[in-house]
Amino acid sequence: MLKKLLSTVLLGVLLVSTAPTSGHAATIKEKKSQNATEQRRLEKAIKKQEAKISAEQREINKIDAAINENIFRISEKISRLNN
């Protein structure tokens, strides 16, 4: 009788101790899903920021070209005045 009670208790402990493991696996799966969602969100934000930087860089390039053109014109005028 004591042996049967002991084995029943032991079986109960084993069953209870394995239950959190399956719950833990669900938690890991949920966490992976959350991480994947967060990663996609961050990748989207990075792409948006890269597009903004690219647009700003194109604007800077236009301004730089205009400045270089003005410098060239001024250099030409100075060259003509010196001759």
Side-chain angles (χ1 to χ4, degrees):
M1 176 98 171
L2 184 61
K3 193 173 183 179
K4 184 172 178 147
L5 178 64
L6 193 56
S7 51
T8 304
V9 170
L10 184 59
L11 179 62
V13 169
L14 287 173
L15 290 175
V16 170
S17 66
T18 58
T21 304
S22 63
H24 184 66
T27 304
I28 290 172
K29 189 173 182 179
E30 290 170 1
K31 189 66 176 170
K32 283 183 179 180
S33 175
Q34 290 172 351
N35 287 346
T37 301
E38 179 68 7
Q39 183 176 356
R40 284 190 300 275
R41 185 189 70 76
L42 290 173
E43 287 171 351
K44 186 177 178 180
I46 288 169
K47 285 185 180 189
K48 186 176 179 180
Q49 193 66 22
E50 286 173 344
K52 181 180 176 184
I53 290 169
S54 294
E56 290 172 350
Q57 186 62 49
R58 285 190 299 274
E59 187 64 29
I60 289 169
N61 290 346
K62 287 179 189 177
I63 293 168
D64 188 46
I67 290 170
N68 287 337
E69 187 177 321
N70 285 335
I71 290 171
F72 178 75
R73 278 193 231 142
I74 291 170
S75 295
E76 288 291 314
K77 287 180 181 181
I78 291 172
S79 179
R80 277 188 257 139
L81 287 174
N82 286 334
N83 289 335

